[in-house]
Amino acid sequence: MTDATLPTTRPGGLKRLVERYPFLPALVIALVLLALNGFYQPRSVSFIGITGLTKTYLALMMLAIAQTYVVYAGDIDLSAGAIVSLVNVVIVVMMEKMGGSGFSVVAALGLGLATGLACGIVNGVVVAALRLQAIVATFATSIFFTGLALYVMPVAGTPAPAAFWRTYGGRFFEIPFVFYAVVVLAIMLYVLARTRLSTQLLAVGDDAQAAFQSGLPVTRIRIQGYALCGLFAALAAFCVTGDTASGDPLVGGKMTLFSVAAVVLGGSALSGGYGTVIGSIIGALIIGLINSLVFFVGTPSEWQNLVQGLAILLALMAGILVGRRARA
Amino acid sequence: MSKIELRGVSKAYGATLALRRGDLSIDAGEVHVLIGSNGSGKSTLCKILAGSVRPDGGEILIDGKPVTITGPRSARDHGIGIFYQELSLAGHRTVSENICLSDMPVTRAGFVDRDALEARAARYVALFASVAGDGFSADTTVENLRADQRQLVEIMKALATEAPVIIFDEPTSALDRAQVDRFFEILRDLKAEGRSIIFISHRMDEIFAIGDRVTVIRDGETVGTERIADTNPAAVIRLMVGTQDELAPTNGAPHATAVARTFVLTLQNLSGKGFANVSFEVAKGEILGFGGLHGQGQSSVLRAIFGVNPVASGEIVLGGKTYAASNPREAIRRGLAYVSGDRGRDGVISGRPILENVTPIHYLRQKLRLARPAALADRVRPALEALHTKFGGLGHPINSLSGGNQQKIVIARWLIDRPDVLLLDDPTKGIDLSAKTDLFALIRKLAAEGMGIVLYSSEDAELLNNADRILVFNGGSVRRELTGADRTRYNLYQAAYEAA
């Protein structure tokens, strides 16, 4: 039954492996894509190349993480991108108003986190407490958040202070800042995975009724999932701001569905109860690698979207096929 | 003083009274059996105690003090744990995580204390180590377990509450003999510790093996409590039956018995998920009843015949020819019809007009691609009138109708092009009395015109009044066949509670 091309220690070894690490198929796809990138553009796998890739796609990784926590519980957040936009313009305007000093940056980031958290709680209350359908309700709040963002900054283009984006793009002790961010992120995820909340979210996603009957506070858990999603969306907004160095009230909109795609590419089930955060990060990476590969192969610009779309479809199919084969 | 006492607890779902007056008194250190036929309200009573259903009225006393149970959490805080019949497990979590799910141990830093969790779960896994079978360990994900093993996990989860009162709602339905024996040993230990057990089972032998007292519930009302030592199965069944033990009226007199019986549907040792070795034949013009407690395989058999659920082995003969139940489309083409009591899932095309709800089978059987609404309406009207369906107009959405009329629409769907065999899967669930009367009048008329009908009903009166023969199911197979004068409530309950 199991795939003969991979070494297995005992019958069902691959099955066990994929069950334990649902992101394995995604990891293989990501490595293949990385190799292809290196083949067509050797410089892309250099230290500078990897740094650039991380710098550009750290935001999507953050947003994919955000999305993962709500997907754990069988929910979805279609406003994640709008939260990114809102936090982006809020912190840029705040930093500008306060003069762009180091203190203003810290204060603005605090406000940004609070904004993301508030948006997440609004989503959670609307979906879990008021019991509206997650897809429609978060679509509605996404319009609402975008409206707020347009009120805060009607036209894109206000620059972020140099102190902010120089830090994001800069180096400390010869190591790019984004790698420190990745390390901090890894520690955060490690810690989060060990809290009760992760298991509870997954249990709710498995069967909300069963979780309720087991005595879990289902509504509160789902709201907490959305709150966590809002916080990580705010972190994603910080990365976007560091990367683009300006405010744009519509910058996050496109990212929403990419974040959902990344979660699925990473092997999580949209129906909830099954998945990993690492998988979603790898999923985001796959999307990034596809985009750069399409560019490196030299696709004419008018064909780039089409090829990107096909490549993402292929990656999805490959991941699902491998996962299904291994779990059958 | 009783450990726990219920006085006049009631619960209604819409117009249906699930529990009229539930009285129950449980002592510390006893196994108290709850018994009653389908829909008598025993599960509702348990869910009220466990906090997953809120009562409409009545009093609950624990240790003599009145309490209000607001939810599953609150029930736990009041010292009540429960084993859910339909299980409450998270499929992708491990056995250990499921056992400790509602109360996961955390370290002082706020992380899940893995070691404590494993250690606590291991205690309960060890209780069943000798009987759990292959592939069972604390770190297995629940979805990889067999049905009996999942049931054991749910038992462990209930035990892990360490509650003074534990409710077991049909905990043994999937267990084998050795597992039941081990479970009973554990129950006796709990009893010795002074804990109270509420026990529901569909096997009379188990009830008499483990119970100390038995409370009988009939039609949502507690009718009596007896000491097991002072009673016997026949007396308990008589208490369940009450004064309703009249002979089944024979107004649907067997039609096909006199004439040479031509069989329209024959099953030979059919097995599949939830049922095993089911054999029977349905003659032209006969109403064959499926009886027994709810969920003993009756629905599974019907759904397998209709090609919804897979068949593992056995043979189906339909109109003299063998038939592989592969999918509902094929079943419909071969002249089968299926009406489910779960209208929302299997029947109603929600939000669409009545006309569209009546015609899908007509389209399929006549291979229609295009049709004139006016011509269709002419074909539809007689079918609807046969059932006395009340509706505003064919263009009105089906959701504007009452449950009973919706079900009539779903049945009318099958009447335009008559099927040979009609499979009824608890068709009267949640519909009003007059609709039920119309429905059964029609069913008897259809039978008189030569249709073969299989009727599964969880309401025993419907079966006794309408079926020519009754097959009583227990644990996925047919226990007894009741014909003629044997079709009594007493026989029905006795067969339903027979040891599987």
Side-chain angles (χ1 to χ4, degrees):
Chain A
M1 283 288 271
T2 49
D3 202 329
T5 55
L6 278 167
T8 52
T9 45
R10 58 186 152 162
L14 179 65
K15 174 179 146 81
R16 266 164 209 281
L17 219 57
V18 171
E19 206 160 74
R20 187 141 189 178
Y21 307 103
F23 55 84
L24 270 186
L27 189 62
V28 173
I29 295 172
L31 291 175
V32 169
L33 281 169
L34 197 64
L36 283 174
N37 265 297
F39 179 76
Y40 284 104
Q41 179 51 270
R43 260 187 303 171
S44 72
V45 289
S46 67
F47 186 70
I48 294 172
I50 298 287
T51 308
L53 188 78
T54 314
K55 189 164 162 282
T56 313
Y57 288 100
L58 192 58
L60 185 58
M61 289 183 207
M62 292 283 191
L63 203 62
I65 295 167
Q67 195 68 255
T68 310
Y69 287 110
V70 280
V71 167
Y72 268 5
D75 290 318
I76 199 164
D77 186 356
L78 293 189
S79 73
I83 300 177
V84 170
S85 306
L86 181 60
V87 173
N88 167 256
V89 296
V90 162
I91 61 173
V92 168
V93 167
M94 175 91 173
M95 287 189 274
E96 192 205 16
K97 287 257 156 74
M98 292 181 63
S101 63
F103 171 73
S104 77
V105 169
V106 174
L109 294 188
L111 182 67
L113 282 176
T115 308
L117 183 66
C119 290
I121 291 174
V122 167
N123 278 332
V125 168
V126 168
V127 172
L130 303 182
R131 306 201 177 189
L132 298 182
Q133 283 286 324
I135 287 189
V136 187
T138 57
F139 176 64
T141 56
S142 81
I143 299 171
F144 176 75
F145 296 149
T146 308
L148 277 182
L150 283 164
Y151 171 78
V152 174
M153 188 190 288
V155 193
T158 308
F164 186 75
W165 56 264
R166 284 226 176 97
T167 310
Y168 185 77
R171 287 169 178 240
F172 296 90
F173 309 109
E174 293 306 301
I175 297 170
F177 172 81
V178 285
F179 288 138
Y180 292 104
V182 167
V183 170
V184 172
L185 181 67
I187 294 171
M188 266 167 61
L189 295 179
Y190 178 85
V191 166
L192 268 170
R194 261 145 198 78
T195 58
R196 206 150 41 159
L197 185 60
S198 285
T199 312
Q200 288 178 332
L201 282 167
L202 285 164
V204 168
D206 249 327
D207 186 340
Q209 174 71 9
F212 169 73
Q213 289 183 335
S214 306
L216 294 188
V218 172
T219 306
R220 200 171 78 205
I221 291 168
R222 287 172 75 193
I223 294 177
Q224 286 172 335
Y226 273 105
L228 209 52
C229 174
L231 276 179
F232 274 96
L235 293 180
F238 299 167
C239 301
V240 168
T241 314
D243 194 38
T244 64
S246 69
D248 177 353
L250 300 171
V251 66
K254 279 183 312 208
M255 293 171 70
T256 304
L257 290 179
F258 276 113
S259 74
V260 177
V263 170
V264 177
L265 280 169
S268 299
L270 276 186
S271 52
Y274 181 74
T276 56
V277 176
I278 300 292
S280 303
I281 295 176
I282 298 172
L285 205 60
I286 289 176
I287 291 173
L289 287 168
I290 285 176
N291 289 351
S292 57
L293 182 63
V294 167
F295 179 75
F296 291 142
V297 170
T299 319
S301 62
E302 65 269 31
W303 289 99
Q304 278 183 5
N305 268 335
L306 187 137
V307 175
Q308 271 172 24
L310 278 179
I312 292 177
L313 269 180
L314 277 177
L316 268 174
M317 279 194 292
I320 289 167
L321 282 179
V322 173
R324 191 180 293 159
R325 165 89 50 96
R327 267 187 283 152
Chain B
M1 186 178 62
S2 306
K3 174 71 198 160
I4 204 162
E5 198 172 340
L6 275 76
R7 288 187 193 150
V9 175
S10 65
K11 173 71 191 176
Y13 294 101
T16 339
L17 208 54
L19 195 60
R20 193 188 312 270
R21 194 180 51 80
D23 297 308
L24 191 62
S25 165
I26 315 281
D27 291 336
E30 78 161 336
V31 175
H32 196 110
V33 175
L34 267 185
I35 195 169
S37 62
N38 287 321
S40 57
K42 51 188 192 301
S43 279
T44 306
L45 196 75
C46 292
K47 283 184 178 160
I48 287 172
L49 268 179
S52 56
V53 167
R54 293 268 210 122
D56 297 331
E59 248 192 321
I60 301 172
L61 292 91
I62 296 178
D63 295 322
K65 284 191 281 291
V67 294
T68 317
I69 297 172
T70 53
R73 183 91 257 171
S74 142
R76 288 285 295 280
D77 296 341
H78 283 112
I80 300 168
I82 184 169
F83 169 100
Y84 284 101
Q85 189 182 345
E86 64 273 25
L87 309 189
S88 64
L89 304 174
H92 293 106
R93 304 289 98 216
T94 65
V95 169
S96 299
E97 284 171 331
N98 268 289
I99 291 174
C100 301
L101 186 61
S102 46
D103 193 19
M104 276 192 287
V106 282
T107 59
R108 257 190 299 169
F111 300 144
V112 173
D113 189 341
R114 279 277 145 193
D115 295 340
L117 185 140
E118 303 293 345
R120 193 201 294 171
R123 279 210 300 279
Y124 300 97
V125 173
L127 287 178
F128 288 96
S130 55
V131 293
D134 295 337
F136 189 95
S137 67
D139 59 357
T140 322
T141 40
V142 164
E143 67 170 356
N144 291 333
L145 296 176
R146 297 192 309 256
D148 59 313
Q149 294 173 326
R150 287 181 204 190
Q151 205 159 14
L152 288 178
V153 176
E154 182 81 10
I155 290 177
M156 293 170 197
K157 194 175 162 184
L159 293 175
T161 61
E162 289 295 339
V165 179
I166 306 183
I167 304 166
F168 288 100
D169 188 355
E170 294 214 15
T172 57
S173 57
L175 303 187
D176 67 28
R177 199 65 246 166
Q179 290 166 334
V180 173
D181 288 342
R182 180 72 196 111
F183 174 53
F184 281 3
E185 282 171 32
I186 293 165
L187 284 189
R188 288 190 189 99
D189 291 344
L190 295 184
K191 219 167 82 170
E193 288 169 22
R195 297 214 247 159
S196 310
I197 311 291
I198 299 175
F199 184 75
I200 295 180
S201 164
H202 64 280
R203 296 178 191 172
M204 196 61 88
D205 59 336
E206 288 183 1
I207 290 169
F208 275 78
I210 192 71
D212 294 306
R213 287 193 298 166
V214 54
T215 290
V216 179
I217 301 184
R218 187 205 308 149
D219 295 333
E221 222 166 315
T222 303
V223 291
T225 300
E226 303 275 350
R227 285 172 49 81
I228 290 279
D230 303 337
T231 187
N232 58 59
V236 171
I237 290 172
R238 268 199 298 279
L239 208 52
M240 282 166 66
V241 173
T243 54
Q244 316 167 73
D245 196 9
E246 76 287 355
L247 195 71
T250 44
N251 43 5
H255 316 277
T257 40
V259 239
R261 286 158 60 101
T262 39
F263 295 130
V264 284
L265 173 69
T266 310
L267 260 66
Q268 285 280 336
N269 295 319
L270 204 71
S271 298
K273 198 168 185 291
F275 61 95
N277 283 322
V278 174
S279 304
F280 62 81
E281 56 275 326
V282 186
K284 231 170 134 60
E286 183 183 35
I287 302 177
L288 177 69
F290 280 7
L293 290 172
H294 201 73
Q296 301 302 314
Q298 301 97 328
S299 278
S300 311
V301 171
L302 294 180
R303 292 175 75 80
I305 299 172
F306 196 60
V308 183
N309 296 345
V311 171
S313 66
E315 198 186 34
I316 306 177
V317 179
L318 193 63
K321 276 175 271 181
T322 56
Y323 148 81
S326 49
N327 61 63
R329 273 177 90 82
E330 175 66 13
I332 294 165
R333 290 206 181 94
R334 296 287 299 266
L336 281 170
Y338 171 80
V339 176
S340 157
D342 197 339
R343 288 183 298 283
R345 186 189 63 184
D346 297 325
V348 165
I349 307 170
S350 184
R352 303 303 306 166
I354 291 170
L355 185 67
E356 287 182 26
N357 265 287
V358 186
T359 46
I361 305 299
H362 184 56
Y363 274 92
L364 177 59
R365 295 207 54 183
Q366 299 297 329
K367 300 198 171 63
L368 281 186
R369 293 282 177 273
L370 282 170
R372 230 159 29 90
L376 270 184
D378 287 342
R379 310 221 47 181
V380 160
R381 284 221 167 76
L384 290 174
E385 275 153 22
L387 279 152
H388 310 291
T389 318
K390 294 187 191 70
F391 59 98
L394 287 172
H396 290 201
I398 189 161
N399 306 63
S400 63
L401 303 179
S402 70
N405 278 312
Q406 287 188 14
Q407 188 71 319
K408 285 179 178 179
I409 302 277
V410 172
I411 292 173
R413 186 180 290 173
W414 301 97
L415 301 181
I416 305 173
D417 307 276
R418 289 288 167 93
D420 305 319
V421 180
L422 175 59
L423 308 172
L424 298 166
D425 186 359
D426 213 356
T428 58
K429 210 191 282 170
I431 73 177
D432 58 281
L433 213 62
S434 79
K436 278 183 195 178
T437 317
D438 289 341
L439 213 95
F440 282 111
L442 175 84
I443 289 169
R444 279 203 293 269
K445 182 163 161 279
L446 291 176
E449 289 166 12
M451 200 180 285
I453 292 171
V454 183
L455 166 68
Y456 163 51
S457 173
S458 60
E459 279 196 37
D460 305 312
E462 292 180 356
L463 276 183
L464 295 166
N465 287 330
N466 293 291
D468 301 318
R469 283 188 297 146
I470 300 172
L471 302 179
V472 187
F473 279 72
N474 191 348
S477 52
V478 179
R479 287 290 140 203
R480 185 112 65 96
E481 178 177 340
L482 304 175
T483 51
D486 284 341
R487 290 174 298 150
T488 62
R489 226 173 248 276
Y490 182 86
N491 285 342
L492 191 60
Y493 290 174
Q494 199 193 28
Y497 274 91
E498 234 162 52

